[in-house]
């Protein structure tokens, strides 16, 4: 079966590049191919394109362009931010607070920092993935320098109350870093209003090209990081290397398009999600996770009781859905997010993340539900 006959419902993993984005990028591969650091007209033209894109990205998330550093993606941005901030502030303290449902890009970087002498508190979450703000406050101590919590969970869609968390942290003199990757382009993200000190996000989650992302440092709050990559003064010396001008141009264009259609797309995704969940609940033993929480409009995390989850994805060979994060989806392991929420291995394995996008139609939802019903019924019979 060809790819175009399959139904793609894994937009939280990646999105197709929008045709208008591709069109904007193309000249920077051919006639406008200059290096943005070159001191001649080709370089000046490329540099101007980068700065236009920086403004486009900044406008979508309401921050000052000067605070944005282009990277190869959110994972690189996470490494630059965590290592850079923690090393810069090591004399002030060595304690970081996060939670157990963060993305592996954060958790594995924090593990590396632990090996370098930093202390990390991994906060528990409740059955819906929420962090207890009272417990969070109690975790802060004199050596705490950073709280690191994502804005929207990539597996469940749960939205954390980041503004309340930044207000709490700042009252204690602690900075806040947030992975806003899944939220940008799906819901309004206002970095100025949220008060976030450090943010990371990526282009390919909002119909831009892969291989480009951004690191935001709140200059108003005097946030700076120590560099640990060397070889040039590109991107304020934080991320040296020749800039990916076509990718950055595409990132900017994707942000501009997302800003124009944010409200319309939000409502469309919400309608699709409501229809999907209503139909899934007709399957016996189905549970929609975080159903009563504030979530991303496009994300459904669903569990099927009494189903052999190790075979579930293989039975859904006409659908592109996932068991969890795309970074670990090829492994038949229970989601660390659901495990942290109290799920046993069996139910966690029998869970799916379904995420819709701008190309998803109601017909896709209806076909997907029929496919899921068939698979679940077969696996219930097999498991008896």
């Amino acid at each position: 079966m060809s790819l175009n006959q399959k139904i793609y419902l894994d937009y939280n993993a990646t999105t197709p590049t929008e045709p208008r984005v591709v069109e904007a990028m193309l000249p920077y591969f051919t006639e406008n191919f200059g290096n943005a650091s070159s001191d001649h007209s080709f370089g000046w033209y490329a540099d101007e394109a980068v700065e236009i894109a920086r403004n486009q990205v900044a406008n979508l998330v309401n921050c000052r362009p000067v605070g944005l550093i282009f990277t190869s993606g959110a994972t690189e941005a996470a490494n630059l931010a965590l290592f850079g901030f923690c090393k810069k502030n090591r004399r002030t303290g060595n304690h970081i607070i996060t939670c157990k449902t963060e993305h592996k890009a954060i958790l594995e970087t924090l593990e590396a920092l632990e090996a370098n002498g930093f202390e990390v508190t991994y906060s528990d979450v409740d059955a819906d993935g929420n962090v207890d703000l009272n417990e969070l406050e109690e975790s802060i101590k004199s050596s705490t320098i950073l709280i690191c919590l994502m804005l929207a969970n990539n597996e469940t869609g749960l939205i954390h109350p980041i503004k309340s968390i930044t207000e709490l942290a700042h009252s204690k003199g602690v900075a806040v870093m947030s992975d806003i990757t899944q939220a940008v382009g799906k819901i309004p993200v206002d970095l100025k209003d949220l008060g976030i000190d450090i943010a990371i996000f990526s282009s390919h989650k909002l119909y831009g090209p892969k291989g480009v992302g951004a690191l935001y440092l709140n200059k108003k709050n005097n946030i700076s990081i120590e560099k640990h990559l060397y070889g040039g003064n590109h991107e304020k010396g934080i991320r040296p290397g020749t800039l990916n001008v076509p990718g950055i141009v595409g990132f900017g264009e994707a942000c501009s398009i997302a800003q124009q259609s944010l409200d319309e797309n939000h409502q469309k995704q919400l309608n699709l999600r409501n229809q999907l969940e209503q139909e899934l609940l007709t399957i016996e033993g189905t549970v929609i996770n975080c159903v009563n929480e504030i979530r991303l409009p496009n994300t459904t995390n669903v569990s099927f009781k009494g189903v052999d989850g190790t075979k579930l994805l293989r039975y859904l060979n006409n659908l592109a859905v996932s068991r969890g994060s795309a970074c670990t989806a090829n492994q038949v392991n229970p989601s660390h997010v659901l495990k942290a929420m109290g799920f046993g291995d069996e139910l966690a394995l029998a869970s799916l993340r379904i995420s819709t996008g701008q190309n998803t139609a109601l017909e896709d939802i209806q076909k997907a539900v029929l496919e899921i019903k068939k698979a679940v019924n077969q696996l219930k019979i097999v498991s008896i």
Side-chain angles (χ1 to χ4, degrees), residues 12-25:
N12 281 10
T14 196
T15 59
T17 307
E18 224 274 358
R20 287 173 289 176
V21 171
V22 175
E23 185 179 355
M25 293 170 64

Side-chain angles (χ1 to χ4, degrees), residues 5 32 85 124 165 251 345 347 350 352:
Q5 290 177 291
N32 304 327
F85 182 84
D124 290 323
I165 291 167
F251 190 10
D345 286 358
L347 189 58
L352 297 174

Side-chain angles (χ1 to χ4, degrees), residues 143-162:
S143 59
T144 305
I145 55 174
L146 185 68
I147 294 175
C148 183
L149 290 172
M150 57 171 46
L151 178 53
N153 189 274
N154 55 298
E155 293 190 26
T156 65
L158 178 80
I159 297 173
H160 285 303
I162 291 296

Side-chain angles (χ1 to χ4, degrees), residues 280 286-289 300-304 350-354 372:
L280 285 174
T286 297
V287 177
I288 306 296
N289 301 314
T300 293
N301 193 287
V302 58
S303 300
F304 304 99
S351 302
L352 297 174
R353 178 186 71 180
I354 304 171
I372 293 168

Side-chain angles (χ1 to χ4, degrees), residues 263-333:
D263 292 341
E264 179 184 346
N265 282 336
H266 184 282
Q267 190 58 52
K268 176 189 174 182
Q269 300 310 317
L270 191 58
N271 292 341
L272 289 171
R273 191 192 78 185
N274 291 342
Q275 183 68 31
L276 170 66
E277 294 180 358
Q278 181 181 329
E279 296 196 26
L280 285 174
L281 287 170
T282 65
I283 305 172
E284 185 179 355
T286 297
V287 177
I288 306 296
N289 301 314
C290 308
V291 67
N292 294 317
E293 301 298 319
I294 301 173
R295 293 178 289 151
L296 293 174
N298 79 316
T299 305
T300 293
N301 193 287
V302 58
S303 300
F304 304 99
K305 296 179 179 178
V307 166
D308 183 354
T310 62
K311 300 176 181 177
L312 185 54
L313 285 182
R314 294 297 177 187
Y315 275 58
L316 298 173
N317 56 6
N318 294 330
L319 301 182
V321 294
S322 69
R323 187 177 287 110
S325 167
C327 297
T328 55
N330 287 330
Q331 303 174 19
V332 185
N333 294 321

